[in-house]
Amino acid sequence: MALFIEDSCINCDMCDPECPNEAITLGEHIYEIDADKCTECIGHYDKPTCVSVCPIDCVKPDPNHVEDEESLLAKFLKMHG
């Protein structure tokens, strides 16, 4: 499943440069994750780097974009293959 950033985001700039898929951008008020680009770092790392670096724990699974590991890997291969 793709990830999303909750409204509690403090725009600390930690997540954006860490995303290997360039899925994170600064939105109108907070950082946002493009679900079409987010693979939860599958294909790059063992766990999502945005979750690891977020100082306030506001990056969560997106219930509107449920994907299994196989689908996330397929998305990674499509983007980077």
Side-chain angles (χ1 to χ4, degrees):
M1 116 179 7
L3 300 171
F4 82 102
I5 298 173
E6 295 178 326
D7 291 339
S8 58
C9 173
I10 59 172
N11 294 329
C12 68
D13 300 319
M14 294 295 292
C15 59
D16 178 26
E18 294 297 323
C19 182
N21 295 317
E22 299 179 350
I24 301 174
T25 56
L26 184 58
E28 189 173 326
H29 299 288
I30 62 171
Y31 278 93
E32 298 174 349
I33 298 176
D34 181 342
D36 292 332
K37 293 181 178 180
C38 179
T39 64
E40 292 188 36
C41 289
I42 288 179
H44 294 284
Y45 305 111
D46 291 335
K47 59 183 182 176
T49 57
C50 58
V51 173
S52 298
V53 300
C54 181
I56 63 166
D57 193 32
C58 70
V59 183
K60 303 294 181 188
D62 187 344
N64 296 317
H65 296 97
V66 177
E67 299 169 285
D68 60 18
E69 190 170 325
E70 188 174 303
S71 299
L72 293 168
L73 182 58
K75 189 190 309 185
F76 163 80
L77 292 172
K78 183 178 178 182
M79 290 189 305
H80 300 283

